[in-house]
Amino acid sequence: CFSITVHKTLNVCLFRVHVFLSVEEENPEFWRSKAKQTLQSVLDRKLNTNVAKNVILFLGDGMGITTYTAARILKGQLQDQTGEETVMTMDTFPHVGLAKTYSVDFQIPDSAATATAYLCGVKTNLNTIGVSAATHNGVCRSQKGNEVTSILKWAKDAGKSVGIVTTTRVQHATPAAAYAHSASRSWYSDADLPDAAKTDNCTDIASQLIENIDIDVIIGGGRKYMTPRGTKDPEYSLDLSSWGTRRDGRNLIQEWQSMKTGKVAHYVWNKTDFDAVDPEATDYLMALFEPGDLRYEVERDPSTDPSLVETTEKAIRILQKNPRGFFLLVEGGRIDQAHHAGRAYMALHEAVAFDNAIAKGLELTKEDETLTVVTADHSHPLTFNGFPFRGQSILGKSPLWGTDFLPYTTLMYGNGPGHKIINGKRPDIRNVTTNDKNYVQLSAAPVDSTTHSGEDVAVLARGPMAHLFSGVQEQNYIAHAMGYAACVGADLRHCNGGTISPVNPSNRSVAVQTSSALLSSLL
């Protein structure tokens, strides 16, 4: 055994059961050689200043730095490695920065305010979507005239195809900010609108999904917000909570289908029909696999529900047929929801699935023409603590116990539903399996749902103009940097040196103009 002195008073003897260190890691030349190789790869790196034909934004909801690190270790351990040295797909991105996530009114934000920042380029207030900070949470009349547009719309106006893929309902905060304007993120269907909002003519998020922007690919959950109240769900016909919620009698799925007359448009709700969709022969796809959010990855039935890898691939194959390129938002949305429940096991497995989807995105696109950005909207109060041995389960317990002579897990929450004090003591978890999918991590303060946390989040980028994402920036900068790289939106200066010609913003239906004289008039 060896000793660790804690706070100069407690000397704890730790027994090491297994040594994971390889012999080569004991040799200093091993580390010097690795560093030399990395240094040379950075020195050899050339900046890609192309215009981005395509942009893919991978958004890990709630995927703070601790989640990112812990997911890396889990991914390696799932492959029978120690985990710490594992290289995630995200780790291969050459340009990395940090984004400051606060909202206009709160030090720690929510997913609505942050999505408005990184998609629309404008910081706003908590719980509001696609509107400026002049809009007050839940006050319909305050949003009038304060709507802001997203990069998804900028891309569509520039002639690109656009898509949304998420593991949550497609009306949830992150995807909604791409197409909707709402004083409340909770107005999923008209049934959620308060009377004052109806009086002031605000519309629900689900209706805006099909009305505001002509979105080519929509994949996620949220069937019940699209159909009239009492409409039985095709998958859960006996579950009343899964039935349609709309009170206006509208069937938005049927409306969407009727709007696509003359186009090859598919609506699917199960994997069999989803797999049958031929990307090469499809113009539009709406795939809603659940009444609400999708299942967690570890609980997903592969025979009935596609993975995030599969939905990402389908979306890209449909969108990439457009010679002008595409914009795609891919959200790993249930990382956040697992954290809210204090279930680190679920959150980390969601993050690993998210990383696998990123790998698929890179596989299907070319780096010289596709800007790929990976980031999070906000973090969670997850801590990575103790002195776990190299290779120890990331979901296990620290070998260093507390001063109360009780063990604690390597991953814990600052607050959450896992707070337990019994007879003045923490629970004794010596005989508890903490790497079970249903285990709720211990937390310091009792709340029903873990809150977010306010530290900066990572922004990783590769492809055209990826170097724009280096440094510490405000979160709303992300939208502007993506727009500049792709030559969409208001700032078209990059079009001069690239190969993609802008569409005249005053008349997006006109033929593409390539002359430098016209381009100058647009600046």
Side-chain angles (χ1 to χ4, degrees):
C1 89
F2 67 94
S3 297
I4 291 181
T5 301
V6 181
H7 299 310
K8 301 180 181 179
T9 59
L10 180 63
N11 191 270
V12 180
C13 186
L14 303 178
F15 290 90
R16 192 161 186 170
V17 178
H18 185 71
V19 177
F20 286 102
L21 293 176
S22 64
V23 174
E24 63 181 359
E25 289 184 355
E26 296 178 351
N27 184 346
E29 286 305 315
F30 169 79
W31 300 105
R32 291 168 183 152
S33 176
K34 285 179 68 70
K36 184 177 180 180
Q37 292 172 8
T38 302
L39 176 61
Q40 193 58 51
S41 68
V42 174
L43 291 171
D44 293 340
R45 187 178 298 157
K46 300 293 189 297
L47 294 184
N48 182 342
T49 59
N50 294 343
V51 171
K53 176 182 178 182
N54 314 308
V55 178
I56 306 178
L57 174 59
F58 285 95
L59 192 286
D61 198 318
M63 191 185 70
I65 295 292
T66 304
T67 302
Y68 180 179
T69 303
R72 176 193 297 126
I73 294 173
L74 176 65
K75 186 167 187 175
Q77 291 180 347
L78 291 173
Q79 300 168 351
D80 295 324
Q81 302 169 1
T82 56
E84 297 83 3
E85 73 293 337
T86 300
V87 178
M88 297 265 276
T89 300
M90 289 181 274
D91 295 340
T92 66
F93 283 48
H95 298 281
V96 183
L98 294 173
K100 295 185 276 187
T101 64
Y102 67 90
S103 64
V104 170
D105 55 347
F106 277 80
Q107 203 170 63
I108 295 177
D110 77 321
S111 296
T114 52
T116 302
Y118 61 75
L119 288 173
C120 303
V122 175
K123 286 214 172 195
T124 191
N125 297 323
L126 210 72
N127 292 327
T128 62
I129 290 172
V131 290
S132 73
T135 301
H136 304 298
N137 179 25
V139 182
C140 168
R141 64 178 179 275
S142 69
Q143 79 179 53
K144 302 301 182 180
N146 294 316
E147 297 87 353
V148 294
T149 57
S150 75
I151 186 173
L152 183 138
K153 177 169 173 49
W154 308 344
K156 189 68 179 184
D157 286 348
K160 296 182 184 294
S161 295
V162 296
I164 294 170
V165 174
T166 181
T167 55
T168 67
R169 66 204 81 176
V170 296
Q171 305 85 359
H172 210 253
T174 298
Y179 61 84
H181 313 285
S182 180
S184 174
R185 59 177 289 178
S186 301
W187 295 345
Y188 298 123
S189 81
D190 69 313
D192 301 310
L193 290 171
D195 291 339
K198 294 177 181 177
T199 300
D200 291 333
N201 297 316
C202 275
T203 55
D204 61 277
I205 295 170
S207 65
Q208 293 185 61
L209 173 64
I210 68 168
E211 294 172 349
N212 287 2
I213 305 173
D214 186 26
I215 304 174
D216 302 271
V217 174
I218 302 167
I219 302 177
R223 289 193 297 255
K224 66 181 180 180
Y225 306 111
M226 307 291 283
T227 56
R229 190 176 186 180
T231 303
K232 292 184 178 181
D233 186 81
E235 191 172 7
Y236 310 103
S237 61
L238 300 181
D239 180 8
L240 296 180
S241 66
S242 298
W243 290 11
T245 65
R246 302 196 65 82
R247 294 179 177 176
D248 57 9
R250 296 176 65 185
N251 186 316
L252 299 182
I253 296 171
Q254 292 179 357
E255 288 186 28
W256 177 84
Q257 291 173 313
S258 65
M259 293 165 64
K260 307 307 177 188
T261 301
K263 299 289 185 178
V264 180
H266 299 288
Y267 166 72
V268 300
W269 59 267
N270 60 71
K271 189 174 187 297
T272 299
D273 292 342
F274 176 77
D275 289 344
V277 172
D278 179 6
E280 298 301 319
T282 299
D283 300 314
Y284 293 92
L285 172 64
M286 178 185 286
L288 304 179
F289 297 109
E290 291 290 334
D293 301 319
L294 304 191
R295 296 180 183 275
Y296 285 116
E297 174 62 21
V298 297
E299 296 177 341
R300 179 179 62 86
D301 183 345
S303 67
T304 59
D305 297 303
S307 66
L308 186 59
V309 170
E310 293 172 294
T311 54
T312 298
E313 177 174 6
K314 186 80 75 172
I316 292 174
R317 292 195 182 280
I318 292 173
L319 298 175
Q320 66 185 3
K321 298 195 304 294
N322 187 336
R324 297 198 59 80
F326 65 85
F327 172 82
L328 174 63
L329 169 65
V330 179
E331 182 198 20
R334 302 219 67 190
I335 302 170
D336 171 77
Q337 293 176 350
H339 276 319
H340 278 301
R343 300 170 71 183
Y345 180 104
M346 289 298 199
L348 298 190
H349 280 79
E350 289 295 303
V352 170
F354 179 67
D355 192 64
N356 293 337
I358 296 170
K360 178 57 68 173
L362 297 183
E363 174 190 325
L364 295 172
T365 56
K366 298 176 182 178
E367 187 171 357
D368 64 337
E369 65 179 18
T370 302
L371 171 63
T372 305
V373 179
V374 179
T375 189
D377 48 358
H378 55 74
S379 185
H380 274 268
L382 180 70
T383 63
F384 184 8
N385 69 131
F387 285 96
F389 295 117
R390 174 79 177 274
Q392 183 171 320
S393 171
I394 189 63
L395 296 165
K397 305 160 192 172
S398 171
L400 179 66
W401 290 12
T403 55
D404 56 1
F405 299 101
L406 290 173
Y408 56 88
T409 51
T410 299
L411 298 176
M412 301 174 68
Y413 289 94
N415 60 46
H419 178 84
K420 294 182 178 69
I421 298 294
I422 302 173
N423 297 324
K425 292 185 178 181
R426 296 187 299 116
D428 185 348
I429 60 172
R430 281 178 291 180
N431 297 318
V432 174
T433 302
T434 60
N435 59 359
D436 182 85
K437 71 183 180 71
N438 294 314
Y439 179 72
V440 177
Q441 316 294 129
L442 299 179
S443 69
V447 295
D448 292 334
S449 175
T450 298
T451 68
H452 298 163
S453 59
E455 67 268 24
D456 299 348
V457 295
V459 184
L460 308 102
R462 63 186 295 168
M465 305 305 289
H467 56 282
L468 295 179
F469 297 88
S470 299
V472 181
Q473 312 291 352
E474 295 285 1
Q475 193 170 38
N476 67 296
Y477 167 79
I478 295 172
H480 296 281
M482 291 189 297
Y484 179 87
C487 195
V488 301
D491 191 345
L492 304 178
R493 288 174 294 166
H494 189 45
C495 302
N496 280 321
T499 58
I500 306 299
S501 304
V503 176
N504 188 333
S506 64
N507 183 0
R508 295 294 182 179
S509 64
V510 301
V512 175
Q513 304 294 322
T514 58
S515 71
S516 59
L518 176 60
L519 182 57
S520 297
S521 71
L522 296 176
L523 299 181

